[in-house]
Amino acid sequence: MDFSADSSYLQVSTGSYKRQVYEVPSGKQLVDQAVIDRITWATWTSVLGDEVIGIWSRHAEKADVNCACVSHSGINLVTGDDFGMVKLFDFPCPEKFVRTCFCMVTATNTVDIRILSCFSRTHMMEIFSSLN
């Protein structure tokens, strides 16, 4: 769940793999894609949307990518999946099948992930490199 930068909108990803945007505080669902495209999000934790199409590999199924988080600077995206992969992308990544910048394998599937505000892209790449 993510709020827009001005707290006027809320976005969620549903169990049926749909991204939905709602007005705050009315709770009215926003369906005008042109309006949705102009919203600036304070955070981004959704694996769905035009901004993150590139996180899906050619052979990924809907349930494979479990979590995502955009850095506070808004230029990096980290994802976690069922295969224990933690991947670093540029954000946004609207092109299909984008190559990851770095990838790390964990022992089990990754169900949630966050980027600390003090971490830059350089810090993240150093962590990924040291763990691989």
Side-chain angles (χ1 to χ4, degrees), residues 9 30-40 50-51:
Y9 302 98
L30 187 62
V31 293
D32 185 346
Q33 191 60 47
V35 174
I36 293 170
D37 290 343
R38 289 192 304 271
I39 297 172
T40 300
D50 293 340
E51 298 84 345

Side-chain angles (χ1 to χ4, degrees), residues 4 6 12 24 37 43 47 58 60 72 93 102-103 106 112 116:
S4 61
D6 64 2
V12 296
V24 174
D37 290 343
T43 60
V47 297
R58 293 187 195 286
H72 294 275
C93 52
F102 280 92
C103 184
T106 63
D112 199 10
L116 299 173

